[in-house]
């Protein structure tokens, strides 16, 4: 990448790939509650700091981590199933977009191909975006797929596939992420990365080109308004 990190908003990508949970949809709180319910259902107590460890993980990886964290690895399958069941119930009852998500997506979809790269099951991503009125703005939804060897974040696969489906080389695409797991995946795939939310206190946060507090940050919306029509982005 030749463009310096501090001028990300002077750069015109040829595609934008969004994470879903915690970036477009306010569903991280649902995952946290689902984890708590799954632990309680099995008479277990979540360890201190577990929410931070679990953020951004694929739900199967999270279920395994839950089991290991309470020293009961044999319960991984049960906890994974309970986690997904509780999350689906919560997200169906209360789908909420993150502040600024709808406005930014609508602005960008008129200018660039958009995709979603998520660790969630496809039914969750598509259902959440459909209920939020955003699904039609995305050309592609990419989720882990063992059959096609698309591994979950922090592996780079979902971002690499999403960029290429959009018809661009990864370094010409921008990823929008809220978690270090996702930032790592997008960076390793070769995309430039915009981190959204509070910048984590971790060296891995530097893998993002820029962190902004929210999707409705004035400088981000101004950047979206300034982008050229499809096909005119500079090299």
């Amino acid at each position: 990448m030749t463009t310096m990190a501090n001028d990300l908003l002077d750069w015109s990508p040829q595609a934008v790939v969004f994470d879903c949970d915690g970036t477009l949809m306010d569903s991280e709180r649902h995952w946290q509650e689902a984890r708590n319910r799954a632990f309680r259902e099995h008479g277990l107590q979540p360890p201190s700091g577990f929410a931070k460890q679990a953020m951004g993980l694929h739900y199967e990886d999270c279920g395994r981590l839950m089991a290991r964290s309470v020293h009961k690895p044999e319960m991984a399958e049960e906890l994974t199933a309970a986690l997904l069941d509780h999350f689906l119930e919560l997200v169906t009852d209360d789908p909420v977009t993150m502040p600024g998500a709808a406005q930014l997506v609508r602005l960008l979809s008129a200018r660039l191909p958009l995709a979603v790269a998520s660790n969630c099951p496809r039914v969750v991503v598509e259902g959440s975006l459909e209920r939020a009125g955003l699904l039609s703005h995305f050309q592609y939804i990419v989720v882990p797929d063992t059959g096609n060897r698309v591994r979950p974040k922090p592996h780079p696969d979902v971002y690499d596939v999403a960029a290429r489906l959009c018809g661009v080389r990864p370094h010409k695409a921008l990823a929008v992420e809220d978690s270090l797991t996702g930032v790592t995946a997008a960076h390793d795939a070769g995309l430039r990365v915009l981190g959204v939310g509070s910048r984590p206190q971790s060296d891995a946060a530097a893998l993002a080109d820029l962190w902004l507090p929210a999707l409705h940050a004035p400088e981000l919306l101004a950047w979206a308004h300034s982008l050229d029509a499809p096909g005119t982005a500079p090299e």
Side-chain angles (χ1 to χ4, degrees), residues 49-173:
F50 185 81
K52 185 176 181 181
Q53 296 177 51
M55 187 175 178
L57 290 180
H58 186 267
Y59 76 96
E60 291 179 345
D61 292 331
C62 186
R64 287 190 285 268
L65 181 61
M66 290 170 70
R68 290 197 305 272
S69 74
V70 293
H71 310 293
K72 294 183 180 294
E74 71 279 4
M75 294 185 66
E77 189 172 333
E78 293 172 72
L79 287 169
T80 300
L83 171 64
L84 184 57
D85 286 347
H86 287 302
F87 176 77
L88 289 173
E89 179 183 354
L90 290 163
V91 78
T92 298
D93 291 344
D94 185 25
V96 179
T97 56
M98 295 296 289
Q103 182 182 7
L104 182 63
V105 165
R106 289 172 181 141
L107 277 171
L108 291 176
S109 70
R111 294 162 168 80
L112 297 165
L114 302 185
V116 170
S118 176
N119 267 354
C120 281
R122 182 176 297 276
V123 64
V124 173
V125 177
E126 292 184 349
S128 297
L129 294 174
E130 179 67 35
R131 288 189 292 276
L134 295 179
L135 183 61
S136 64
H137 293 276
F138 294 96
Q139 281 79 18
Y140 303 101
I141 306 293
V142 181
V143 299
D145 182 342
T146 55
N148 290 320
R149 298 183 181 179
V150 179
R151 299 167 296 176
K153 306 170 193 177
H155 297 290
D157 304 19
V158 289
Y159 274 107
D160 181 66
V161 171
R164 295 184 188 283
L165 285 173
C166 286
V168 306
R169 296 177 66 186
H171 73 281
K172 297 294 186 182

